[in-house]
Amino acid sequence: MYFLKRLFFALPLLLLISFLAFMLVHVAPGGPFDRERKPASPEIEHQLQAKYHLDEPAWKQYLRFLGDLSRGDLGPSLKYRNHSVNDIIAQALPVSLVLGALAFGLSVGIGVPIGYFSAVRRGRWQDYAGSFFAILMVCIPAFVLAPFLVMYLGIRWRMLPVALWGTPAHTVMPVIALGLFFSGRIARLMREGMLQVLRAEFITTARAKGLSEHTVLLRHAFRLAILPVVSYCGPLLADLLTGSFVIESLFQIPGLGTFLVNGSLNRDYTLVVGLVLLYAVLLIGLNLLVDFAYVVLDRRVKYA
Amino acid sequence: MPEPAQRAWSRFRRHRVAVLSALALAVLVLLVLLLPVAAHFAARAGPSGQAFAARFDPDQLSDAQFQPPSAAHWFGTDVHGRDLFARVLFGAGISLMVGLVGAGVSLVIGVLWGAIAGYAGGRVDAIMMRLVDILYSLPSIIFVIVLITTLEGVVKSQLEQAGSGWLAHSARLLFLFVGLGAVSWLNMARIVRGQVLSLRHRAFVEASRAMGAGPIHILARHILPNTFGVVIVYVTLTVPAIILYESFLSYLGLGVQPPMASWGSLIAEGADQINPIRIYWWLIVCPGTLLVGALLAFNFLGDGLRDAWDVRMDK
Amino acid sequence: MIALRQNAPRQPRGAFSFHAFPALILVLLLLLIGCGRPQPAAEIVIANGGEPESLDPAIVTSYSDMRITKALFEGLLRLDGEQGRPVPGLASHWEISPDQTVYTFHLRSNLVWSTGEPITAEDVYFSWKRALDPATASDYAGQLFYIRNAEDFYTGKLKDFAEVGLRVLDRLTFRVELNSPLAFFLDLCCFPTLAVVPQKSIERAGDRWIGERPLPSSGPYSLVYWRLNDRVRLRKNPQYWDAAHTRTDVIDILPTGSPNVALNLYETGIADIVWDKDLIPTELLEVLKQRPDFHTFNYLGTYFYRFNVTRKPLDDPRLRRAFALSTDKDRIVRKLTQGGEKPAYQFVPNGVANYTPPQGLSFDPAQARELLAAAGFPGGRGFPTLNYTFFSAAGGAAKMQGKIAVELQQMWREHLGVTVELRQIERKVFYNTQSRLDYDLSASSWVGDYNDANTFLDLYLSNSGNNRTGWKNPAYDDLIRRANQQTDTARRAGLLREAEALLVETEAPVVPVFFYAGFNCFDPKKIGGLNQNLLDEHPLQDLFRRPAATNPDRTRED
């Protein structure tokens, strides 16, 4: 019931987000046609504005946007003038989904075990090694890691293509550069969650009951220990699936991340609002899933 | 010192890595604070003092472009022939401030927001968390652009009129803090809320409630202390994230202004140098090592603090 | 806790599932995308600059986009790849009236679209009319305003297009009447805005006509596909009138945004050519310049800074000259740009056709200090703190802006004793700020549209939207106007030189810093047909890959 209600309220929420995003991009100074060179006459500039209804008051433009949206049309891009926002999403979203899902898999696949073992081997060398690795990953930004990967794997040893997209080999370096960073964060959160649970009373009780350590850890502790990671995964997955600007520009990958950042910088109003809307749909959906996962993992969680 | 604080201190002292980390950070902060002061006074104390001041001036241009580390320039020099050691230390000041402000905001607003939403539940929770969703969905770049361009001029002239020229000069930094702070607390709120949701029906909380404790007492005494560990960890994750995000904003022309430097902008500059043909390695290695070192120290310090305040560790 | 540690060795076995977990996901997802289409390789791959805004010749504004549209859609004339001079395109020959205001173009008789329909004078008429149609919203519609009544039609003062100076005389003859003589009209005819585009596709699909397949093209190549941020693939158009001289069948164009990526692609042999000046990592220029596959040349662009002459004290030309005289341009070129850029003392780049620039102001700090003192600020005392506004962009080469700013700031401090604050703002905010004259000094650059001094000097006409200095000078306006009506080349050059002297020597609302250098990166042993010229013009149809077996010694003789 609670979740149905949340689903129902997602629609007005999305409308509100689209409205705020729309107003925000319009408030930002500089327009899509403010460029290094102005057209030869102010009349030409005016026609450019008029063609995309930018000369109308903002509320009217927003209503126009809503009208188009109700027909499933996010409007034309103001920068990429041969393409509609729908075209751009249709071409770039699949790329970002693949890259994001792989990176997410990698970061969870590395981060969770490292966090788990660091906590279980608390204070031993495994803990220090795991924590050191995790913190190192958190501090090394992708824009440093990626060029190093490219230099060795791509250029010196010629093992992997240095950029572009299309074959599985193209995905390896971007996924590593993107995934490792988040694996560090996940490992830290996992370790903490695990440490906390291991100290709780009911684990002691379970041990007292004579359950094997393996059962205690996996069946009882793990479910609760992963809660902070799960909370973090909602926004993380939404971020990853909509692309990463840095990785996409370092490997020249045709994903959504570049469009969102460049759209903002180009004041490509329609593109930005369209992508924000797409992002919000993912985010709201994933956070709903996260809240659902709480109930599954911890039966004491109730949404009153 | 009250008894629990004393016990915490004695526990903290036993955590050797944490103590070392705290010392290292203290040295770094001292260097950052003292170097400009020392240079300032040295400049008035004869020619050798002036040479010292010029050497540690982060904005002193020279013809010694791209010098590798040497006795004269411990970290080498950059494209303008500026001493990288001085720039890294100067950048440390800005980056640490940016990181700490972000961490502070996420600590205060994020924790309270998440705790209240999680504990109150129902409609309050729904509204508070949807607000987080909304803020998280809006593109932060545009948010920062709007913030800086619409408010910077106004605030700057206000500050100038108020006579504090120094503050007016760093108006951009002020906004950078606000902008970064504004986006830093959202995930913290979400994580704390998740923890509180799981904690609020645990036996010890129910017991306290049965004994008639009010919600503020329960939150402050039973729930928040139990989220402390996750909060510390997430704060230590926020610091590097904010420092690096600042470099991204600088890269777009929204961050620190040249000729100022931050660790983020120095590392971004260094990262451009990584290529198969020729690397000026000190440009990336020097600021990078310092950043990683400082953040490792932060994390171990966080670990030590968490353990120190954790009563159950005594067993 | 202690009990746990004793039992610890038991866990790894149970936790093996954790190790398998990431590997499993990776394998599954790799399989999922494993079905990527294998692509036949192109003969030549070019790293060309950012994702094209458009491939519609009436819409494109950036030079890297124009390189693609020029291969797809040709105009009456085109630029040759040797010198970048106008040569016959779709028109084989033309006549110019004695007063130089009427041009009569004769189209080739064998012109067809890549889809087989004939290209006629009606197509030229349609294409130019479309570029002038306000509904098309072409940035460069102004290139057609030299045609009689064209501007009035655009602004709506004139409703009937028939009164605009364009006539179809017969199927293959097209006549253009100009407002006044125009020395560079043939250069304009090579400009993409005036290229010939397919009427039927445009009427069918409107603004999205580039998405039609097959897309009729009038140039040497036709569009196979255009994948956003991925690649544009072009195939030789066998119907093109000069198809016999098109030397490569398939060319791929990579939209590359970052110099480091471009270099990596080139170094690993994925890209054969890198040819945008913004795609060369400036950090490496010193090393790259020594290599035989790196080619640098003079380019039609100037880096400079503007003064806001509407603000005190910069309304005083003596002060502006003092700034100009204290700018050590040589140092910037030597220390920062390093790509063979020339220090600029004039606004019009070296080598522009039919033009000799004036002397300009050289680096002379002593004279600068004298001027500063004469203007009432001896030694910089009492001089207000000004700002120097520039933008930093997410593109590689734009980082140079900040570096130049840092050096300029230092020069003014050192030579004039004045404090200038650096104000770095975001790109769109910058253009907006500059247009609104909300700055004291600001970084700028300008790249010419065609090989004539006018494309640089008409910026500072009083009514020009690109003036952005607030500087209005009737004498300057008059000189430019008279020059452009002048039919005698030498006299025209003299008038333009007089105007430029006013601009860079006397009044100095702008200070040129350096002339850009163009860069091409390709191995001359592998790739041929690529010449360097002032306009950075490289027709795709001239490019070819030399056969792999060629003896290097023989190639050298070629």
Side-chain angles (χ1 to χ4, degrees):
Chain A
M1 193 55 218
Y2 170 80
F3 292 103
L4 280 181
K5 222 162 148 188
R6 282 271 295 270
L7 266 182
F8 179 75
F9 279 111
L11 205 67
L13 189 63
L14 285 173
L15 274 184
L16 184 62
I17 289 175
S18 77
F19 176 76
L20 288 176
F22 191 89
M23 288 307 153
L24 196 63
V25 283
H26 277 79
V27 167
F33 300 111
D34 276 333
R35 288 192 281 236
E36 184 174 23
R37 51 181 72 215
K38 283 202 173 215
S41 107
E43 191 62 30
I44 298 178
E45 232 182 326
H46 174 73
Q47 287 301 336
L48 277 166
Q49 308 275 344
K51 177 157 179 136
Y52 296 100
H53 310 289
L54 299 178
D55 50 347
E56 293 176 355
W59 61 269
K60 215 169 167 182
Q61 291 183 50
Y62 182 66
L63 289 185
R64 190 182 295 281
F65 165 77
L66 283 187
D68 288 347
L69 187 63
S70 65
R71 289 189 301 272
D73 178 9
L74 290 168
S77 162
L78 304 182
K79 164 86 177 171
Y80 305 106
R81 286 174 63 186
N82 292 134
H83 294 273
S84 69
V85 177
N86 290 11
D87 288 342
I88 292 176
I89 292 179
Q91 285 198 35
L93 183 62
V95 175
S96 286
L97 285 183
V98 170
L99 178 59
L102 283 170
F104 182 74
L106 184 76
S107 53
V108 171
I110 293 181
V112 168
I114 287 184
Y116 177 86
F117 284 113
S118 298
V120 170
R121 303 292 174 87
R122 177 85 206 267
R124 298 215 200 153
W125 70 267
Q126 290 100 327
D127 180 20
Y128 281 106
S131 296
F132 183 78
F133 169 80
I135 298 168
L136 204 62
M137 286 306 115
V138 166
C139 305
I140 298 185
F143 64 79
V144 172
L145 182 59
F148 273 114
L149 287 177
V150 169
M151 194 165 85
Y152 286 102
L153 296 179
I155 296 178
R156 294 268 160 86
W157 304 331
R158 301 279 163 133
M159 287 164 68
L160 292 164
V162 291
L164 307 181
W165 189 251
T167 67
H170 284 114
T171 61
V172 178
M173 281 198 284
V175 166
I176 291 177
L178 192 56
L180 278 188
F181 177 72
F182 292 104
S183 74
R185 304 175 74 84
I186 287 180
R188 294 297 290 165
L189 285 174
M190 183 69 208
R191 174 176 179 274
E192 187 49 46
M194 199 69 197
L195 283 180
Q196 208 167 42
V197 175
L198 286 178
R199 290 193 302 259
E201 305 93 16
F202 68 95
I203 293 291
T204 326
T205 322
R207 281 201 196 112
K209 275 198 227 159
L211 294 178
S212 81
E213 198 61 38
H214 180 205
T215 323
V216 172
L217 287 176
L218 272 190
R219 189 153 316 152
H220 295 274
F222 185 76
R223 299 169 65 111
L224 290 179
I226 205 168
L227 277 186
V229 173
V230 170
S231 305
Y232 178 63
C233 279
L236 170 64
L237 195 54
D239 281 351
L240 285 177
L241 294 182
T242 47
S244 148
F245 172 75
V246 173
I247 291 295
E248 283 171 18
S249 30
L250 288 173
F251 291 102
Q252 206 175 309
I253 295 169
L256 276 175
T258 1
F259 283 111
L260 184 59
V261 172
N262 285 337
S264 303
L265 296 178
N266 293 326
R267 305 292 188 279
D268 194 338
Y269 300 144
T270 43
L271 182 61
V272 171
V273 177
L275 292 181
V276 166
L277 214 52
L278 174 75
Y279 179 75
V281 168
L282 273 170
L283 184 77
I284 290 170
L286 287 166
N287 279 334
L288 197 63
L289 274 180
V290 164
D291 281 0
F292 189 68
Y294 287 159
V295 184
V296 174
L297 290 168
D298 183 351
R299 258 157 265 146
R300 281 166 303 192
V301 170
K302 283 186 193 73
Y303 300 101
Chain B
M1 230 192 287
E3 211 250 341
Q6 240 164 23
R7 296 223 331 248
W9 172 240
S10 77
R11 272 194 299 265
F12 179 75
R13 268 189 325 193
R14 266 182 281 146
H15 206 301
R16 243 178 265 143
V17 185
V19 174
L20 269 178
S21 302
L23 277 177
L25 285 174
V27 170
L28 180 66
V29 170
L30 271 180
L31 265 178
V32 167
L33 290 178
L34 289 184
L35 195 70
V37 181
H40 181 78
F41 284 110
R44 299 182 188 172
S48 67
Q50 274 163 12
F52 172 83
R55 185 176 147 193
F56 290 110
D57 179 356
D59 296 339
Q60 180 66 46
L61 273 59
S62 78
D63 278 331
Q65 222 178 348
F66 294 126
Q67 298 289 312
S70 64
H73 298 286
W74 297 339
F75 284 3
T77 61
D78 70 356
V79 58
H80 299 288
R82 295 178 295 199
D83 182 57
L84 194 62
F85 180 72
R87 288 185 70 69
V88 169
L89 275 191
F90 183 82
I94 289 185
S95 280
L96 291 178
M97 272 212 288
V98 165
L100 291 180
V101 169
V105 171
S106 103
L107 205 57
V108 175
I109 303 184
V111 171
L112 280 181
W113 195 274
I116 293 172
Y119 190 76
R123 199 162 292 165
V124 178
D125 174 43
I127 292 175
M128 289 178 88
M129 292 323 285
R130 281 340 105 210
L131 212 67
V132 170
D133 282 349
I134 291 174
L135 288 179
Y136 202 83
S137 306
L138 295 178
S140 56
I141 301 173
I142 301 222
F143 179 72
V144 176
I145 291 174
V146 169
L147 196 73
I148 289 177
T149 45
T150 52
L151 296 180
E152 189 180 27
V154 182
V155 171
K156 209 169 175 174
S157 60
Q158 286 286 327
L159 284 172
E160 260 161 15
Q161 272 172 12
S164 66
W166 181 82
L167 259 181
H169 191 74
S170 33
R172 168 68 68 91
L173 270 180
L174 220 65
F175 280 110
L176 200 62
F177 292 161
V178 176
L180 291 172
V183 291
S184 68
W185 62 274
L186 300 170
N187 273 340
M188 176 67 98
R190 231 187 293 258
I191 288 173
V192 170
R193 168 184 173 264
Q195 291 300 97
V196 174
L197 277 177
S198 158
L199 286 167
R200 67 175 174 167
H201 291 296
R202 295 265 172 97
F204 62 94
V205 177
E206 298 286 13
S208 177
R209 199 177 291 136
M211 286 192 288
I216 296 183
H217 176 84
I218 293 178
L219 265 180
R221 272 302 160 86
H222 298 294
I223 293 190
L224 284 183
N226 270 296
T227 60
F228 194 57
V230 175
V231 167
I232 287 268
V233 164
Y234 201 75
V235 163
T236 57
L237 293 180
T238 305
V239 173
I242 294 273
I243 289 178
L244 294 176
Y245 190 67
E246 184 274 319
S247 77
F248 179 60
L249 290 182
S250 297
Y251 173 67
L252 301 178
L254 298 166
V256 297
Q257 301 269 18
M260 278 199 245
S262 69
W263 279 351
S265 67
L266 289 172
I267 288 177
E269 230 168 85
D272 285 332
Q273 304 283 347
I274 308 172
N275 62 68
I277 296 179
R278 180 182 67 184
I279 303 188
Y280 294 128
W281 54 269
W282 57 94
L283 290 180
I284 177 74
V285 168
C286 294
T289 312
L290 223 60
L291 173 78
V292 171
L295 292 173
L296 276 169
F298 261 118
N299 276 275
F300 289 124
L301 182 63
D303 265 14
L305 280 180
R306 199 267 325 278
D307 288 352
W309 284 104
D310 190 345
V311 196
R312 281 162 305 195
M313 281 299 282
D314 269 351
K315 285 171 202 165
Chain C
M1 225 39 183
I2 290 163
L4 177 65
R5 283 184 189 166
Q6 279 170 347
N7 284 330
R10 292 225 316 263
Q11 283 125 44
R13 231 181 304 135
F16 255 112
S17 52
F18 280 120
H19 288 300
F21 182 47
L24 199 76
I25 290 187
L26 215 70
V27 167
L28 273 179
L29 280 159
L30 280 180
L31 280 178
L32 207 118
I33 54 161
C35 25
R37 313 135 283 201
Q39 286 174 12
E43 283 162 75
I44 293 181
V45 180
I46 302 168
N48 180 55
E51 167 67 19
E53 284 178 54
S54 171
L55 292 182
D56 180 342
I59 302 293
V60 288
T61 57
S62 82
Y63 203 76
S64 52
D65 300 353
M66 289 183 186
R67 291 194 193 108
I68 312 177
T69 60
K70 280 177 181 171
L72 293 174
F73 305 100
E74 190 159 285
L76 293 175
L77 281 79
R78 64 183 189 87
L79 295 175
D80 79 305
E82 293 276 333
Q83 300 280 320
R85 294 293 161 87
V87 293
L90 297 185
S92 57
H93 59 288
W94 51 87
E95 292 104 36
I96 305 172
S97 68
D99 67 348
Q100 299 196 14
T101 61
V102 181
Y103 285 67
T104 310
F105 294 97
H106 301 276
L107 269 59
R108 295 171 199 277
S109 53
N110 57 345
L111 294 177
V112 261
W113 291 100
S114 60
T115 43
E117 300 88 1
I119 300 175
T120 66
E122 289 290 347
D123 287 301
V124 185
Y125 183 82
F126 167 82
S127 303
W128 291 29
K129 183 181 172 187
R130 170 176 181 265
L132 263 177
D133 183 352
T136 307
S138 166
D139 266 87
Y140 271 113
Q143 305 284 46
L144 290 147
F145 285 1
Y146 301 101
I147 296 164
R148 194 166 55 78
N149 290 334
E151 186 164 9
D152 284 348
F153 173 78
Y154 192 92
T155 55
K157 276 185 213 144
L158 190 77
K159 292 280 170 256
D160 187 6
F161 192 77
E163 288 183 46
V164 175
L166 301 177
R167 297 280 171 278
V168 174
L169 298 186
D170 62 50
R171 218 177 71 88
L172 295 177
T173 318
F174 183 64
R175 171 167 292 171
V176 184
E177 294 159 38
L178 303 178
N179 289 322
S180 61
L182 192 65
F184 48 90
F185 182 66
L186 290 179
D187 294 86
L188 282 186
C189 288
C190 306
F191 204 75
T193 318
L194 281 68
V196 177
V197 290
Q199 180 168 9
K200 278 189 199 132
S201 297
I202 291 166
E203 281 167 356
R204 240 189 334 258
D207 284 343
R208 296 162 57 102
W209 65 277
I210 289 283
E212 286 228 320
R213 298 290 180 275
L215 178 72
S217 69
S218 53
Y221 282 87
S222 56
L223 184 62
V224 182
Y225 58 73
W226 175 13
R227 293 199 204 130
L228 281 167
N229 264 346
D230 188 14
R231 68 180 70 209
V232 173
R233 171 160 290 195
L234 303 174
R235 180 171 287 131
K236 177 179 175 176
N237 169 14
Q239 310 281 357
Y240 177 60
W241 63 268
D242 197 21
H245 291 105
T246 307
R247 303 187 62 172
T248 306
D249 276 334
V250 180
I251 294 183
D252 273 3
I253 304 215
L254 302 177
T256 310
S258 125
N260 283 330
V261 174
L263 181 74
N264 291 339
L265 288 171
Y266 179 78
E267 287 291 297
T268 51
I270 296 173
D272 303 298
I273 302 171
V274 180
W275 69 11
D276 201 274
K277 73 175 167 54
D278 291 338
L279 283 183
I280 310 290
T282 45
E283 295 88 3
L284 295 175
L285 277 173
E286 211 187 329
V287 184
L288 290 173
K289 264 189 307 189
Q290 317 296 331
R291 296 186 2 178
D293 55 348
F294 187 79
H295 314 267
T296 168
F297 50 95
N298 288 340
Y299 181 64
L300 195 67
T302 310
Y303 192 91
F304 63 103
Y305 60 88
R306 286 179 159 100
F307 294 104
N308 180 356
V309 309
T310 63
R311 283 198 184 166
K312 283 203 179 307
L314 293 173
D315 55 342
D316 186 340
R318 286 174 301 184
L319 277 182
R320 303 198 295 260
R321 289 211 300 276
F323 272 85
L325 289 163
S326 63
T327 304
D328 185 353
K329 299 155 184 184
D330 194 52
R331 179 180 166 94
I332 288 174
V333 171
R334 186 164 35 86
K335 269 189 71 180
L336 298 181
T337 61
Q338 299 199 340
E341 288 84 355
K342 306 265 189 320
Y345 301 97
Q346 310 85 18
F347 192 65
V348 181
N350 298 329
V352 161
N354 308 320
Y355 183 65
T356 327
Q359 189 73 40
L361 299 175
S362 53
F363 175 55
D364 187 348
Q367 200 195 337
R369 280 188 289 270
E370 274 168 37
L371 281 168
L372 189 70
F377 305 99
R381 276 188 298 282
F383 198 81
T385 302
L386 301 177
N387 69 59
Y388 177 81
T389 306
F390 63 99
F391 75 91
S392 160
K399 280 179 309 215
M400 191 52 79
Q401 303 247 34
K403 294 180 180 157
I404 293 169
V406 167
E407 292 284 339
L408 288 175
Q409 183 188 37
Q410 171 86 357
M411 287 168 194
W412 296 324
R413 191 176 352 175
E414 194 180 321
H415 302 308
L416 297 179
V418 304
T419 309
V420 175
E421 232 173 58
L422 301 187
R423 177 165 159 241
Q424 173 181 247
I425 52 180
E426 192 261 340
R427 187 171 47 106
K428 287 284 182 184
V429 180
F430 173 80
Y431 292 135
N432 190 271
T433 304
Q434 207 184 40
S435 302
R436 284 187 295 111
L437 293 181
D438 182 15
Y439 69 90
D440 297 327
L441 290 89
S442 73
S444 311
S445 65
W446 188 259
V447 172
D449 290 329
Y450 44 87
N451 188 358
D452 188 275
N454 184 65
T455 183
F456 284 87
L457 296 178
D458 74 355
L459 253 67
Y460 301 103
L461 293 174
S462 302
N463 61 359
S464 159
N466 286 313
N467 183 315
R468 302 185 187 185
T469 57
W471 183 70
K472 291 188 164 74
N473 190 308
Y476 183 84
D477 293 356
D478 188 55
L479 282 168
I480 299 285
R481 190 182 48 79
R482 272 163 50 211
N484 282 337
Q485 289 176 359
Q486 184 60 251
T487 51
D488 179 79
T489 315
R491 278 169 57 197
R492 176 166 181 270
L495 287 167
L496 288 175
R497 181 165 59 245
E498 210 179 311
E500 190 177 1
L502 196 61
L503 183 74
V504 299
E505 287 172 3
T506 324
E507 284 282 324
V510 292
V511 176
V513 179
F514 61 83
F515 298 128
Y516 281 110
F519 309 111
N520 291 163
C521 212
F522 66 95
D523 185 350
K525 286 191 205 125
K526 289 185 190 150
I527 302 291
L530 189 53
N531 301 295
Q532 284 72 51
N533 50 57
L534 192 65
L535 283 167
D536 204 3
E537 179 71 27
H538 317 288
L540 291 184
Q541 65 261 47
D542 292 355
L543 299 180
F544 63 95
R545 179 180 280 282
R546 297 186 199 276
T550 312
N551 185 339
D553 292 329
R554 254 188 55 214
T555 335
R556 220 169 289 147
E557 288 164 15
D558 284 358

